[in-house]
Amino acid sequence: FEIAGGSCGLGLLSKVYCLKIVAKMLVNEEIYQKLLTVPDFKDVPTDQIAWLSAHGTIRKHEDGEKIFKPGDWIDDLRILFSGRVNLYREQAGSLQYFDTIDVLEISGRLPYSRMKSVAFYGIAEGETITYALHKDHFPTLIREKYELSEVLVHAMTDRVRQFTKVQQQNDKMVALGKLSAGLAHELNNPSAAVIRSAHELKKHLANIPTRFKRVIKIQATDEVVDYVNELLFSKIKSPSVKALSLLEKTEKEDALIEWFDGHSIEDGELMAETFAEFAFEIDDLENLRRVLRPEDQNAVINWLYQMLTTERLVTEIEEASSRINTLVTSIKSYTHMDQSPEKQTADIHEGIRTTITILNHKLKRNHVKLDLDFTNDLPQSKIYVSAMNQVWTNLMDNAIDALEGVKDPMITIKTEWDREFVVVTISDNGPGIPVDIQDRIFDPFFTTKPIGKGTGLGLEMVRQIIRQHNGRVEVKSIPGKTEFIVCFPVS
């Protein structure tokens, strides 16, 4: 300015002209030309583009370079001039692709944005050149560059909208993954039981022909046949009055083995466990021995063992198959896949129980006790069934996570009927939510969970769904007790 204005002794108009020349000299022509090609800037005056080029800097990154990572402070508006920046987030110890910043796309910190730090890893693809404008220039930009500010604000809202869309889609995939993992975990035991029992049954039935000769040689009156049948079916219908401890079970099996050996019954050691399981006592066997001919005792007792074993294996297959059917029915009910997405009259308790079935593997893994305090006369409500199941899932899943490391973890689910409203309270005995963040937990993307474990959209989704039902959700939390209270009209 001294050279252009003061020292030359020029007049006011000449000084202004000289200042314009100096300003033009400060413009980086290469940056300026590149900024003109940014689609969002097509209606921005060129002098404002020139201002951007004069105040920004250029940064270069090699292919594969980690440009930023979660937690890095971000102070710049950025525009990608070449290359690509792929965004990743950490999940289960590995990086999962999230989104991509493409050429001429505006990113980084924007005017009026509350963004302070990065939530993702940004990795360069190809040689990457980025324009950066520091936030210190934002006050001037907002005050003097109206059209440019307007474009950047629109870019910020579009970015939030797109980010939310992608995040929600990813959350759905994560939820589906959790659902699939839980279902696979729950199906593993009953399916393995079906296979194991079917295999044992096949092997067991293969032995029957060798024993059949003894059975048809039995000579018995109708009274003896009736006695054996009544004994068999009485044990099948009520196999055990009470569960035996390991010591009691061992003592009973030893006593049966001793009796079998004492009366020259073949395979006594093999049969003892099954007879003990069906509550056979020594008196039962003594009474049976008295009504049979000595030469028929082995054949009859072995026949009883065959029938009891067949009954046990068939019962195991039936119970395991029933468990699989229950899980499939629960999944169908949870997703409500056979119904249209309209409000329907439904039992709230059924949806909660279905959700418990879905999350049962996580409850067992974390040793969480469940206390259900349901109101018996609770009326059915008109709801979006699948959406409300998401509410119960998010609240229960959060409660389970909050109980990690807690001694004697407990979740209580209580339902009430308050005039025309249904009130559902889900509480846990975890450490509680700090007072200073309780008013933020329903904000989008706010989470206290580690990166990759929480997205901050679960409670926001809960609030949106409850609002769709003209209801409300609130939280009360102190150390040792956190309550989420969901209230919505019956219809």
Side-chain angles (χ1 to χ4, degrees):
F1 292 153
E2 283 295 321
I3 295 173
S7 299
C8 295
L10 299 175
L12 178 60
L13 291 177
S14 297
K15 286 181 180 180
V16 172
Y17 178 74
C18 288
L19 288 172
K20 286 183 177 181
I21 293 175
V22 172
K24 190 170 183 180
M25 289 169 58
L26 293 174
V27 171
N28 184 310
E29 188 66 23
E30 184 179 355
I31 296 178
Y32 174 73
Q33 292 299 329
K34 199 69 177 176
L35 288 172
L36 287 175
T37 64
V38 176
D40 290 329
F41 292 164
K42 66 181 187 299
D43 296 325
V44 175
T46 55
D47 63 309
Q48 296 183 27
I49 303 294
W51 180 85
L52 272 182
S53 67
H55 292 84
T57 57
I58 293 294
R59 298 172 184 173
K60 296 183 179 181
H61 304 277
E62 299 297 325
D63 181 39
E65 182 180 342
K66 192 176 289 183
I67 301 174
F68 48 81
K69 63 183 184 302
D72 283 354
W73 204 258
I74 185 163
D75 294 326
D76 306 294
L77 177 153
R78 298 177 184 180
I79 301 173
L80 193 62
F81 279 176
S82 69
R84 288 158 60 105
V85 178
N86 294 317
L87 303 179
Y88 298 86
R89 63 179 179 181
E90 190 172 5
Q91 287 183 339
S94 62
L95 295 183
Q96 304 292 327
Y97 172 79
F98 178 79
D99 203 358
T100 295
I101 300 174
D102 290 311
V103 173
L104 303 182
E105 187 174 339
I106 300 172
S107 63
R109 190 161 182 168
L110 297 174
Y112 300 110
S113 172
R114 292 183 293 178
M115 180 181 186
K116 293 182 180 179
S117 61
V118 185
F120 301 92
Y121 289 94
I123 299 177
E125 181 181 328
E127 185 182 15
T128 301
I129 300 175
T130 305
Y131 166 87
L133 177 72
H134 196 271
K135 67 174 183 178
D136 289 347
H137 297 291
F138 286 1
T140 302
L141 187 155
I142 294 170
R143 186 172 60 251
E144 301 177 6
K145 318 295 179 186
Y146 174 78
E147 291 83 1
L148 181 57
S149 297
E150 185 178 34
V151 165
L152 295 176
V153 169
H154 288 167
M156 179 179 65
T157 56
D158 289 343
R159 181 173 70 180
V160 170
R161 191 180 300 113
Q162 177 63 20
F163 180 85
T164 304
K165 181 180 178 181
V166 174
Q167 183 70 62
Q168 288 178 338
Q169 184 63 33
N170 287 348
D171 281 351
K172 288 179 181 178
M173 295 304 296
V174 170
L176 181 60
K178 287 183 178 180
L179 190 64
S180 301
L183 180 61
H185 180 89
E186 288 295 314
L187 286 174
N188 181 61
N189 290 334
S191 62
V194 169
I195 294 171
R196 183 181 63 250
S197 297
H199 178 73
E200 288 295 320
L201 181 60
K202 183 177 180 181
K203 187 170 68 174
H204 170 72
L205 294 176
N207 294 327
I208 289 181
T210 59
R211 301 176 186 270
F212 183 61
K213 291 180 181 179
R214 294 182 180 179
V215 174
I216 62 175
K217 289 181 180 179
I218 296 173
Q219 295 182 18
T221 63
D222 289 343
E223 289 78 8
V224 172
V225 173
D226 290 340
Y227 180 84
V228 174
N229 275 332
E230 288 175 9
L231 176 63
L232 172 65
F233 287 105
S234 67
K235 296 300 183 182
I236 287 176
K237 289 179 181 178
S238 55
S240 181
V241 178
K242 66 184 184 71
L244 299 177
S245 67
L246 180 60
L247 180 60
E248 290 173 329
K249 186 173 182 290
T250 302
E251 288 177 350
K252 191 167 188 177
E253 289 177 11
D254 289 343
L256 289 169
I257 292 172
E258 185 178 347
W259 189 92
F260 289 141
D261 291 343
H263 293 84
S264 302
I265 304 298
E266 298 173 1
D267 301 323
E269 192 168 344
L270 175 66
M271 297 188 296
E273 182 179 359
T274 300
F275 275 86
E277 183 181 338
F278 282 88
F280 268 83
E281 304 292 344
I282 299 299
D283 287 345
D284 296 321
L285 297 175
E286 284 290 346
N287 293 333
L288 180 63
R289 189 178 65 84
R290 291 191 189 101
V291 301
L292 296 173
R293 298 188 309 164
E295 59 268 33
D296 294 336
Q297 291 176 15
N298 252 308
V300 171
I301 291 176
N302 270 274
W303 178 80
L304 285 172
Y305 169 70
Q306 292 287 335
M307 295 301 102
L308 294 173
T309 301
T310 301
E311 177 69 21
R312 175 175 59 80
L313 292 173
V314 169
T315 300
E316 287 178 3
I317 292 173
E318 182 183 22
E319 290 177 351
S321 301
S322 176
R323 175 63 178 158
I324 292 173
N325 182 67
T326 299
L327 286 167
V328 173
T329 303
S330 295
I331 291 293
K332 188 176 179 180
S333 174
Y334 178 80
T335 58
H336 223 58
M337 62 177 68
D338 59 343
Q339 302 291 334
S340 58
E342 298 178 356
K343 279 189 176 181
Q344 298 180 22
T345 302
D347 183 1
I348 296 298
H349 295 155
E350 182 180 342
I352 295 174
R353 287 192 179 96
T354 297
T355 303
I356 292 170
T357 301
I358 300 301
L359 293 175
N360 190 48
H361 70 288
K362 196 169 182 179
L363 289 165
K364 289 192 294 186
R365 187 181 67 210
N366 294 333
H367 308 290
V368 178
K369 294 180 181 178
L370 202 59
D371 179 22
L372 302 181
D373 183 8
F374 288 170
T375 297
N376 293 327
D377 60 347
L378 193 71
Q380 293 195 344
S381 307
K382 199 161 188 178
I383 58 174
Y384 295 106
V385 180
S386 184
M388 287 302 289
N389 284 341
Q390 291 182 49
V391 171
W392 314 134
T393 301
N394 282 327
L395 293 179
M396 286 186 62
D397 196 41
N398 283 347
I400 295 170
D401 288 341
L403 291 172
E404 287 187 8
V406 174
K407 185 179 180 181
D408 299 325
M410 168 78 77
I411 293 176
T412 302
I413 304 177
K414 182 179 181 180
T415 62
E416 301 173 273
W417 184 14
D418 184 4
R419 291 164 299 187
E420 70 271 22
F421 293 93
V422 171
V423 181
V424 180
T425 304
I426 299 178
S427 59
D428 64 75
N429 61 339
I433 303 171
V435 176
D436 57 333
I437 66 170
Q438 286 185 18
D439 59 345
R440 300 171 57 198
I441 61 172
F442 292 101
D443 291 350
F445 312 117
F446 178 81
T447 180
T448 58
K449 297 179 181 179
I451 293 172
K453 190 169 184 181
T455 61
L457 287 175
L459 289 178
E460 164 63 11
M461 186 182 298
V462 167
R463 184 169 62 175
Q464 287 183 10
I465 292 171
I466 297 304
R467 282 178 174 174
Q468 289 176 350
H469 291 79
N470 296 318
R472 73 175 190 274
V473 56
E474 59 183 41
V475 61
K476 297 179 180 178
S477 183
I478 58 174
K481 185 174 185 181
T482 297
E483 292 182 332
F484 279 89
I485 305 165
V486 176
C487 177
F488 55 94
V490 173
S491 60

